[in-house]
Structures are given as structure tokens and as C-alpha cells.
Amino acid sequence: MERTGESYTTARKNILAGKPESPRAARAAAARDYAKEAREKAKAQAKKDKEAPAASPADELPEYPAPEDVIQYDAALWHRVLVQAGVTNKHTGQPLSQALLAGLAGGIGFMAFTHEGGEETAVTLVTRHNPEPYTQNLLARCGATVTERTTGSAERAAEYMDAALDAGRAVVVRVAISALPWIDGTTVDEAETLDLAVVGEHKKDLLVDDGSGALNLISPKELAIARAMRKKEKHWQAWIPSTRSPKTETLAANAVEAIEETTARLLGTSELSGVPVHFAKNFGITGMRTLATRLRDSESKTGWSQIFASQQALANGLDQLAGFFSDTRFSGEGALRGLYSDFLAEAAVLPGLSALAAHVDAYQQLSAQWDEFADLIDPEIEFSQRAEHFALLADAIERIAEAEEQAATALAATAKQLAAKTAK
């Protein structure tokens, strides 16, 4: 930071990008972290590859695109799967974009809390839509034909997957991240899952897309183990059996439905399914203000000054918080508000939804505000200065909460008007 004048977040990204690591750890980092620098590097490499294409395994599925400009992991993964299946946005003739799919999934939200476990307090920040199942929303609203399967039998699950691959389709499966052979299992929670696309076979192994930019090889046995570790999902898998594209009217109606749900969650005007009443204060714009209160609180046990009561705990907590803004699963750059702005711009082109264009700038501005907040986070702050640093972060969050409330209120009003027109 002193040498380059960079913010902590930017400096940290650059240091980690050049840090010597074991091959296994490096692949784990590549699979889980899409910082902007890494995406730009991948994009430049993809351009070179187009000029001089390298040979790929003969059994890889045709027309399956490489990851590019990944901002939200799951929306980007399903964008690639839908491209391979030939599904398009009939109104534009183009593939269903990452931004459009992310918006249909719910787009944005907020949840923040801390959890004390063992010797370290964990900080969790989610800025994508929640608590509804993000991927299920995406599949239900994208308008494509989707075949989903669950089974308690690993053998039957393999048969379902083989049938889809034989039909020339990529298959998305859900696995325990810690069980993947290229991931250092000690660095991730055993309960953490990831959706992968199985895109073909190479000799006796399977080729899978984990968003890292290169296809990974995994044996059928290893994949079966990784899937079986999450019994709750019952070997869940999904694929697109048809090139049938959604009707334009369906996309428009589903976009409005998604916006209504998203704004209701942010504004707290609808009940949070499955969330205890005492925990609901951590969600939406209320959750942003709850976080600001806890940042300022220096007395109670829920205040950050008491939670992070040592230099090491303080550094760990702020490091975790900063890390979510270079994540692509549950948060991301600009807290995913820039991607949501892109969704609104694309949705505004659909018939009858031009009024959404008036809200594009508000979410671009929110994206910039969230980036500024991320740049304020300084895990190297001296312990004696933590109260002042927390107050600085609280001020920023309160300004964001005010802007979020204004943006969501205005967008909700427009969505209500559009829904009324659609109903007629």
C-alpha cells in the first residue's frame, strides 16, 4: 500500500496473485476466486487462443464456451450450459446472458452476521439474493426446458448423467467442494457445496467445468464420492434437453416477478421463509443498518469491538469481510449491484418493460459505493484504532443503506405498475 498507493483490497489481490503456492493450492484458489485481475488475464488468454486455437479432448461436448467475465459463478455457469444447449433470448437472438440469468435468480440482496466457533469468529456477508434458492429461481424463471433428477442411488445418478451426456448435453451436478481432488480440503468447510458442469469424457475420466477457466479431469468414482458427501441433495443434477427457447412474454413476466421478490426482500416487506424472527434483522436494508449498529457498538457482546477483541481476531475478521468482495459465489465486485444494473438494462429491452431503464443508473452508482466500502476495509489497522475504523465503515454502510432504500423503493413501484399491466 505504501509503495504503490493502492487500497488494501487492491494491494491484497495483487500480492495473492503473485504469491508462490503449491500446484494444488493454486488450483484451489483459481477454482474459488475470480478477482478482476484474474478475469482480465483469462480474457486476454482467450483472445490469444482464438487466434491460435489449441487442441482439446476429442470427447468434449461441442459449442461449450470457456468462462469469460465471470461476476456471479452460478449465473455464469448456467449461461455456458444454456449456450451449449442452443437456448437463446428470442427477442435479441443472443444467448441468455449472465446478467439476465442473475437477475431472474433474484440478483441482489443482503445478509451479514458473525459466528463464534472454536478459536476464530467467522464473518459472513452475502450480497446476492437470499434466502430463496438462487439456482432454483434461475431455472424456474429462465424459461428453458430443464430436466432435474434426484436419487438416493449413486448408480442411478451415474445412469442419469450418462444419458444426458450421450444426448450431447452438459450436466450440472452438486458436489462437496472439499472432496474435489484439485481442492485442498483443509481450506474449505465440509458442508460447502459447488455446482459443476460435466461436459464430456476423456479416456476413462470425466471433464468438468468448475469455472476456473480450464476443464478439470475427475474419475467417475471421485465424482460419485464428491456428490455422495452431500446426502441432502440426493445426487441432484440438471440439464437442458431441448433447444427450445423461452417466449419473450415469459421472460418479461418472469423478470417483473423476480424484481418484485428482490425489492420486497431488500425492503423487508415480505416474510423471510424459514428464517427465525430474531435472525431476520440481519437481512436486507435492515441488515445493513444492523451491521452499522454493531460496528459502532463498543460495549455489548454483539458489538464488533467486543467480538474482535485482539489484533489477530481483528485482522482475521476484516480479512474475511474484504474477501467477500472478490468472491463470485455469494457476493462479488460492487456487491453485484453493477451486474444487477446490467440485468435491468437488458430487461428494459423486453416488450413492455422500457420503464426499467430509469433504474439502471441507480444500481451503477450503488455498485461504485460498495466498491468504495470494500476499499475502506483495512485488516492491517492497529488494534487501538479499531473503534475509529469501525465507525468509518458504519458511516459508509449507513449511506449505502439510504441509497439502497431509495433505489429499491423506486424500482418496486415500477415493478408493481408493470405487473398490473401484465395482469391485464
Side-chain angles (χ1 to χ4, degrees), residues 111-126 187 189 192 279 282 291 294 301-304 307-309 312-324:
M111 178 184 72
F113 67 94
T114 57
H115 174 71
E116 295 184 52
E119 299 179 356
E120 185 176 308
T121 298
V123 176
T124 297
L125 177 70
V126 178
T187 65
D189 191 320
E192 192 174 351
F279 197 68
N282 297 306
L291 176 58
R294 288 175 174 166
K301 64 180 183 180
T302 59
W304 275 44
I307 290 173
F308 302 108
Q312 186 61 50
L314 176 66
N316 288 343
L318 289 175
D319 191 55
Q320 289 178 59
L321 184 63
F324 281 100

Side-chain angles (χ1 to χ4, degrees), residues 157-418:
E159 291 174 358
Y160 289 151
M161 184 179 68
D162 288 344
L165 290 172
D166 289 344
R169 299 296 190 220
V171 186
V172 178
V173 299
R174 189 159 295 155
V175 300
I177 299 178
S178 61
L180 295 173
W182 56 90
I183 296 292
D184 181 353
T186 64
T187 65
V188 295
D189 191 320
E190 287 186 2
E192 192 174 351
T193 62
L194 182 74
D195 288 355
L196 306 172
V198 181
V199 302
E201 300 171 330
H202 182 55
K203 298 181 179 178
K204 294 183 178 181
D205 290 326
L206 296 167
L207 287 159
V208 297
D209 169 20
D210 66 352
S212 62
L215 297 180
N216 280 296
L217 289 170
I218 188 170
S219 72
K221 183 178 180 180
E222 288 172 326
L223 183 62
I225 291 172
R227 297 178 70 186
M229 284 183 67
R230 294 295 297 158
K231 291 182 172 58
K232 181 180 178 181
E233 275 74 31
K234 294 183 178 179
H235 297 94
W236 176 87
Q237 58 191 29
W239 66 94
I240 310 298
S242 168
T243 60
R244 185 180 67 83
S245 299
K247 295 179 179 178
T248 300
E249 296 77 10
T250 298
L251 275 182
N254 289 350
V256 173
E257 177 186 87
I259 292 168
E260 287 189 299
E261 184 178 76
T262 298
T263 53
R265 288 290 176 262
L266 284 167
L267 295 168
T269 56
S270 61
E271 184 179 349
L272 294 170
S273 176
V275 176
V277 174
H278 74 276
F279 197 68
K281 62 181 177 291
N282 297 306
F283 287 80
I285 293 163
T286 297
M288 298 175 200
R289 292 179 171 136
T290 298
L291 176 58
T293 298
R294 288 175 174 166
L295 284 164
R296 294 188 191 284
D297 183 358
S298 61
E299 302 295 332
S300 73
K301 64 180 183 180
T302 59
W304 275 44
S305 290
Q306 295 297 321
I307 290 173
F308 302 108
S310 71
Q311 184 70 61
Q312 186 61 50
L314 176 66
N316 288 343
L318 289 175
D319 191 55
Q320 289 178 59
L321 184 63
F324 281 100
F325 291 99
S326 58
D327 177 41
T328 60
R329 295 290 310 287
F330 304 107
S331 188
E333 61 182 61
L336 302 178
R337 269 52 182 177
L339 188 65
Y340 198 67
S341 175
D342 292 342
F343 157 68
L344 292 174
E346 288 193 40
V349 177
L350 295 170
L353 303 191
S354 59
L356 294 176
H359 304 278
V360 170
D361 287 347
Y363 284 94
Q364 281 293 351
Q365 292 168 15
L366 277 168
S367 178
Q369 283 185 266
W370 278 109
D371 279 337
E372 290 169 4
F373 173 78
D375 284 342
L376 287 175
I377 302 168
D378 182 7
E380 294 188 348
I381 196 76
E382 289 295 328
F383 183 68
S384 61
Q385 298 175 354
R386 72 189 189 285
E388 292 85 349
H389 187 58
F390 288 160
L392 184 68
L393 295 178
D395 287 344
I397 281 290
E398 286 174 344
R399 290 192 295 271
I400 289 172
E402 184 66 27
E404 289 269 8
E405 184 169 26
Q406 292 177 7
T409 300
L411 181 57
T414 296
K416 184 177 180 180
Q417 294 172 355
L418 294 174

